[in-house]
Structures are given as C-alpha cells and as structure tokens.
Amino acid sequence: MRTVCRMCHGGCGALVELTDGVPTGITGDPDNPTSEGYFCVKGKASLDLVSSPDRLRTPLIRTGPRGSGTFRPAGWDEALDRVADELRRSAERHGPESVVLGQGTDRNYQEWVFRLANALGTPNVVGPAHVCFYPRVMASILTYGGFTFCDYAGDPEVALLWGSNKLNTHSDGVIGVGLLRALERGTRLVVVDPRRTRTARRADLHLRLRPGTDAALALGLVHLVIANKWYDAEFVDRHTSGFDALERHVRPYDPRTVAAVTGLAPDDIETAARMYARASRACVEAGTGLSQSDNAFDTHRTIAVLTALTGNLDAPGGDVIWDPMPIEGRRGFPRTDLLPEEQAAKRIGGAVHKVLSMTGWVAPVDLQEALLHERPYRVSSMLVFGSNPMVSHENATATRAALGRLDFLAVADMFMTPSARLADVVLPASSWLERDQIVEFNSYLAARRRVTTVEGARSDEEMIIGLAQRLGVGQHFAPSVEDALDAKLSGIGLTWKQFQEVGHLPNTKRYRKYEQGGFRTRSGRVELAHRGLEAMGYDALPGFSPPPATTDELPYVMTSAHNLQFFNTEFRQLPTTSHRYREPRVTLHPRAAGRLSVVDGDPVEIYRNPGRPGVVMRAQVSDTVAPDVIVADAGWWYPDEDDVDAATRSSVNRITGGDRRDPYMGSSMLRGLPVGMRRAAQPAEAAGRADPQRPDPRPSDPQPSQPQPEGGPHGAHPGH
Ligand SMILES: Nc1nc2c(c(=O)[nH]1)N[C@H]1C(S)=C(S)[C@@H](COP(=O)(O)OP(=O)(O)OC[C@H]3O[C@@H](n4cnc5c(=O)[nH]c(N)nc54)[C@H](O)[C@@H]3O)O[C@H]1N2
Ligand SMILES: Nc1nc2c(c(=O)[nH]1)N[C@H]1C(S)=C(S)[C@@H](COP(=O)(O)OP(=O)(O)OC[C@H]3O[C@@H](n4cnc5c(=O)[nH]c(N)nc54)[C@H](O)[C@@H]3O)O[C@H]1N2
Ligand code: SF4
Ligand SMILES: [Mo]
C-alpha cells in the first residue's frame, strides 16, 4: 500500500508491504515527487511502532497516588465518560478557560485539538509552539503577511541554512531531498551553526557562531546590505515601509562589533553578506537554532527583513509564500469563530506574550504561572494529545510541580511516558500506520491511509469526536473521521475514498503575487519597521539582547539539537532507532574533555548550579564545536524506568528554564545557556565495582577522537 510516513514532519512517500493483511515491510516510495524514494532510519522503524510490546493497548484509570504508575485497565466508554465528566466539572466550577488542552509538535490532527478547544470555549492550548515553528511563522506573517518556504526547485544561487539542520530534520514538511538536489545542481551553501554538522561540512562557508548571538549577526548582515547598497532599491521603494528608520537602527552593527559578539571573523561576516545579497536568487532556511532564546522572534524578524531587502521575497529561487489549497485545512478547520471574543481575551499569557497569543497558543511558562500561582486565574484540568511535557517543556522541576496542581490530567499517547504516568486517565493512541489522515503541506496534499490496526488503540480524531459528543459540542464535529475527511476535501471536489486513489496532489506555485494588490499586511507593504507591534508596546524594529555571559563557575555555553534517529522525545523504546544509542550524548571539544579528564563515551555531568545535581550524558568528544561550546541531545528519557524522576534524570530540560524569555513569544532559553561540567562517576564505579566493559582506565591525556557525524550511531560508547 502506498502511503505517507509520519515518523517526522517530513512526509516521505512510503510503500508498506502487507502479508495476509499484516504489515511486514516498509520502504521509500520512489514515485513520490517530494521524497523520490528517500527513507530514513526512523521511517524504517515504523513497523516497530505497530509491534512494540510497550504500546498502550487499553485506556487506563489511576488507582494509586499520582505518578505511582498504578492504573487499572478500563473500557473506552468508561475512560471517555470519565474525561468528559472531569472537564465538564472543571468548566462549570471555574469557567471553560480552566480547561487546558495540550498538544506537542505539529501533527496532522492538530486542527482537531483547536476545534475542540474553540467548541468548548477555552482559549488555552499549550504546546511547544513558542520554541518550534511559531517565532518564524509570526515574524514573517507580521513583516510581510505570509509564511515563506525556500524555493529549492527554483534553483537558488545561494541557500543560507541558519540554525537549521534540514538534511537531518526535514522539518515543516520540507524534505531535505529538495535541498540536496539543488546542491547537486550547483546551489552554493552558507551554514550558520555553532556545530560543524554533516550539512555544514558541505557548505561553501560555515559560520560557527557562538550560540544565542544570531540576532546580532542578522542585524550585521542587514547593516552590510544597506551600507553597501546591495539591496533591491526598486523593491524597497515600491513595496516596503520604514527603510530610513531601519538604516539608522542597524548602523551600530558593523562587522567588527558583530564579530566581537558572535565570535566570528569580520571577513567571514562580510563574505556571507556578499554571497547572500549579491546572488541573483537566494533563500534562507531558518530553524529552531534561532527559536529557542529570548531573541527568537526578533532574529526571525531581522531575517524576514533581509529577505525582503534583497528582493528574494516571493521570487524564483528565493523565499516563496504559497497559496493555501482550497480545502478545510489548518486554517479553517479549527473554527476560531466558535470561540467567543471574551473567552479569547482570557488566553493565559495573552497580556504578556502577545504575539504568541495571536496564534492561539499558550507558552508553557505562562501555564506554569497559572497553575502554581493561579495567575491570572485557576486552571483545574488538562487533556494532552501527543506531547511529553515532562521532557519537552523547559524546567522539568517546575513542570512537574505545575502538573501536580491540576485536579485532573488526561494524556493520550502511544506509550507510557513520564507525563502520562502523572495522569488520572491515559488514552492509548494509534500510530500513523493505523489512521486515515490528510497530509497538508504548503506544496502538496497527500493521503495517509490506514494500513493496519492495533487492538485497543484509537486515533486522536476518534477520541475528540467521542469527547465532543459527550461534552455537548458534538454538532461541531462530523459523526466519523471519514465524514470529516470528506468535508475537508469538498473544496477540491473529492471524497476521502477518491482522494486515497489520487494519493498526492501538488499545489500551484505562483511568484511575486504582491504585484497584484501588495502584501497582506496592514499597509500592504513589507513592514521593515512595524507600527502595529509598536502600538502593542514593542519596538518597531527588531533588536538583539546579548545572551547571558559565561562565568568561572559556568564556563561553557550549552545548546541542544535534535537527533537524526529520534523524533523529539520519541522512539527511545524502538529497537531500530535506539540500537547502540541508549543514553543521551553531549558533544564537547577535545580541549574541554582534557580539562575534565574524560574521553569519548565517559559520563559527564552538566549543571547550571554547581551546588545542585545536573544531568548526566555521555561525552561525544569532537572538534565540531568550539572549545567552550557544548551541544546536548534534546528530548531524552529512559523508557525502562518506572519512576518519573529516574526516567527524566538525563533530560536536558531538567536544567533549562529561568527568567529570560522572548518578550513576544515566551520562547525559553534552550539554546545559549552558561553551564558547568564535571566528570560523572560511571554507574558501575558509583556502585563500587569495576566496569567489566571498561577495563582501560582513563588516560590522563585524552585522545581527541575523529569528528563524528552528529547523531549517527557509532559504537565507541560502552553499554550502548
Ligand atoms: N531543551 C530542548 N527542549 C526542547 C527542544 C530542544 O531542541 N531542546 N525542542 C522543542 C521542540 S522544537 C518541540 S516541537 C518540542 C517537542 O515536544 P513534544 O511535542 O511534547 O514532544 P514529542 O516527543 O513530539 O511528544 C510526542 C508524544 O506524543 C506521542 N505521540 C506520537 N504520535 C502521536 C499521536 O498521533 N497521537 C498521540 N496522542 N500521541 C502521539 C509520542 O509517543 C510522544 O510521547 O520539544 C521542545 N523542547
Ligand atoms: N530527525 C529528527 N527530525 C526532526 C526532529 C527530531 O527530533 N529528529 N524534530 C522535529 C521538530 S519538532 C523540529 S522543530 C525540527 C527542528 O529542526 P532543526 O531546526 O533543523 O533542529 P535542530 O537540528 O535541533 O537545530 C538545528 C541546528 O541548530 C543548531 N544550533 C543550536 N544552537 C544554535 C544557535 O544558537 N544558533 C544557530 N544558528 N544554530 C544553533 C544546532 O547545532 C542544529 O544543527 O525538526 C523536526 N524534525
Ligand atoms: S525523513 Fe521523516 S518522513 Fe521521511 S522517512 Fe524519515 S521519518 Fe519518515
Ligand atoms: Mo519542534
């Protein structure tokens, strides 16, 4: 059967081999136009999800104390009745806004969660939007009225990969194959990343900047573009506003100043600016490397400005705004019209993180504040679909305390995660191979077809329909998923059955749409200086706030990154993906390793406060990072541990969180944090025994290892 993979955002075409109706093999679909047969290790692990002995196969209702993991199995009706009763009670006592829905990274049922929230009258949906996609989305929407994607098919002369590891992460439905093909056809590559990634190794220029200083670099590039008159004067004149104010604003960001902040050479900054700005066609692929700091929104805003100044906006080989497909999709399906205005105004964090609030999302820090201090009001129940906040949200200690304040927590997941363990009701979700979905991306629609079932599990869409019916808002949902998919597709005149046969439907790309009618901003122009933001109490122009300085006690700058064979917090329990990768890793420079007397594979403790326990990860010694920079694996937890604390002991978010956050979006400092490190005891040493796997005592002078491809499995680690 032909379908579309959802082990990451990517959406590669997949061919599932069925033997007597049972999936027995999965490969890439060579006929899929976006992935051309590409299939990664995660995709190959898909069938592990179906057969995993760890999958939840029945709803669970808590019987012991919270977090103890004592549950009894229950039927679906009982479990959904219980969830509906609790949410209703909460809404009746404290108002619908006291019910919070949770959702993780973008999945193809996200719009269902928002429709449920809107129908229930709660403005509160919490998730990782503030550190993931939305700083970028909102920066472009506010600056030029739409969200852009790199036009790799339009053969950019230069692609600027900025805090994005596209060839590994395939984020936002853009499969790295598009970039790869462009590189093969001659696109030159500039990479801005504190790490020499596999992609950076292919770059014509790699700017290995200090984590958390990207906003200064972006302002520095704008400075050079303006000072050297490398901008598209006609476009600027006809289609932008605020150029003079921008010109004055970026004057201080000369290459020398920017070099001092970023740790880059002034010449490299000039070369990058020249390569990008002088190219006839150039695009920017900006990633989460820029979205997880207090500069998140302004960094993306400055990049949006750069795109516009250089005339690359909506231009061939540049950054293109796609028209939405005419289906009831991501934009229409949530039905924001169902949420009364006075309820929308109650969104938690809405008065503080005003730009995030425009998207409908609540930042975890603001929810924590509400739960811990009842500010601005009391939140009493929460229902989470596909998120593991104990691992993915910043400041795991605060997350745990906050979740502990809920009267009721329900979690829908495929597995018993540390977050699900804290729940009162756990609902077993089906995997992507067990459900029908419309895969909606900027450039195409595709059909993800159910190829199998796992007894006991249900899709989130089915759960939401069941809950909506019980909560008296069933009229806002179709009676079945298939009916809903038919309704979604009615705009293109197909039923779900017909669309499955079609499989893949490309969108039409149109360049320079602004030539008819301008941009979809208030002024109809690109808002280089943003009056609307100014009216909201923000600066009209994007700025830079320097990251927290390192100290003698905390001499390293820590950042994190996503792994090739995992997806966020997922797949740690699958044999294909976790093969030889059973513990989190931290990349550190040979000199740092020397200072700590550790070698590749040794356990290292990373801390924010030397007096408190930190998190322990395995050293991955490599000169891909600067001597004072470390890159920690994001999203780690131990599925074999029953205790919530033990399961999350190595999660980097045990040591993230703090006062600094992006004023627009609430983005937390997950990248660019000062930390200290010390050698940690081997688990076997800690128990007073010699580790039989490590007969060789640490040499006093550690050998720098060969640079390792990031995230690639390698066998140097004992016990992996
Ligand atoms: N320090 C640090 N923290 C980070 C990041 C970082 O780089 N560094 N990255 C951030 C980013 S970008 C993101 S997006 C977040 C991710 O944060 P989350 O979205 O919370 O993490 P996921 O691992 O995607 O959570 C998914 C959970 O959903 C379950 N699941 C998978 N598919 C389904 C489904 O179809 N239905 C249901 N009900 N459950 C499903 C999985 O088993 C898993 O337990 O983490 C953020 N946190
Ligand atoms: N294989 C895989 N694919 C994924 C995911 C996954 O976990 N695994 N997660 C999915 C999700 S939810 C998302 S949001 C996307 C994320 O996709 P990407 O944004 O590509 O995610 P990362 O690889 O975490 O971060 C990108 C790069 O930022 C660099 N970086 C770290 N700090 C800084 C900094 O301060 N400045 C700059 N310029 N760069 C920095 C890292 O070294 C890394 O190479 O990927 C999605 N796809
Ligand atoms: S890149 Fe993503 S969509 Fe493609 S095969 Fe890998 S996990 Fe699946
Ligand atoms: Mo994300």
Side-chain angles (χ1 to χ4, degrees), residues 126 347-354 356 361-372 375-377 379 394 661-662 665-666:
V126 70
R347 183 164 299 121
I348 293 168
V352 198
H353 300 124
K354 297 176 194 167
L356 181 69
W361 288 96
V362 172
V365 283
D366 294 322
L367 178 64
Q368 286 171 10
E369 171 89 2
L371 281 165
L372 295 172
R375 270 198 300 261
Y377 49 77
V379 167
E394 62 269 23
R661 54 195 69 119
D662 183 275
M665 314 285 304

Side-chain angles (χ1 to χ4, degrees), residues 300-355:
H300 288 297
R301 192 146 65 107
T302 311
I303 291 174
V305 162
L306 190 64
T307 298
L309 284 181
T310 48
N312 287 307
L313 186 54
D314 223 20
D319 299 288
V320 174
I321 303 171
W322 287 78
D323 295 312
M325 300 277 254
I327 65 159
E328 189 190 35
R330 286 162 188 273
R331 295 181 195 209
F333 194 86
R335 294 284 311 275
T336 33
D337 59 297
L338 295 176
L339 186 69
E341 229 167 87
E342 71 273 14
Q343 283 306 106
K346 291 183 193 163
R347 183 164 299 121
I348 293 168
V352 198
H353 300 124
K354 297 176 194 167
V355 176

Side-chain angles (χ1 to χ4, degrees), residues 26 37 42 83 200 425 501 512 533 594:
I26 186 162
K42 296 183 296 304
V83 175
V425 175
E501 296 310 311
R512 298 201 171 96
L533 285 169

Side-chain angles (χ1 to χ4, degrees), residues 8-9 40 42 105-106 131-133 136 162-166 168-172 192-195 197 209-214 286-290 292 559-569 631 634 671-672 710:
C8 82
H9 300 151
C40 80
K42 296 183 296 304
T105 188
D106 184 55
V131 289
C132 181
F133 195 36
R136 190 152 41 100
W162 201 331
S164 162
N165 197 6
K166 202 65 171 191
N168 266 24
T169 52
H170 313 277
S171 47
D172 322 321
V192 186
D193 198 306
R195 212 167 39 135
T197 57
L209 89 176
R210 208 174 166 71
T213 62
D214 299 270
T288 54
L290 315 179
Q292 307 185 346
T559 188
S560 47
H562 295 208
N563 291 113
L564 175 65
Q565 68 263 59
F566 301 115
F567 185 71
N568 302 337
T569 68
V631 184
R671 310 207 180 187
E710 75 288 345

Side-chain angles (χ1 to χ4, degrees), residues 104-105 107 109 128 131-132 288 292 385-389 392-393 412-415 417 429-430 435 460 463 560-562 567-570 634 652-653 656 670-671:
T105 188
R107 297 183 188 280
Y109 61 81
V131 289
C132 181
T288 54
Q292 307 185 346
F385 294 96
S387 179
N388 189 357
S392 60
H393 288 184
D413 205 298
M414 294 182 288
F415 295 97
T417 66
S430 54
R435 57 174 85 186
D460 300 83
M463 293 184 229
S560 47
H562 295 208
F567 185 71
N568 302 337
T569 68
E570 286 193 81
V652 70
N653 285 330
T656 60
L670 304 177
R671 310 207 180 187

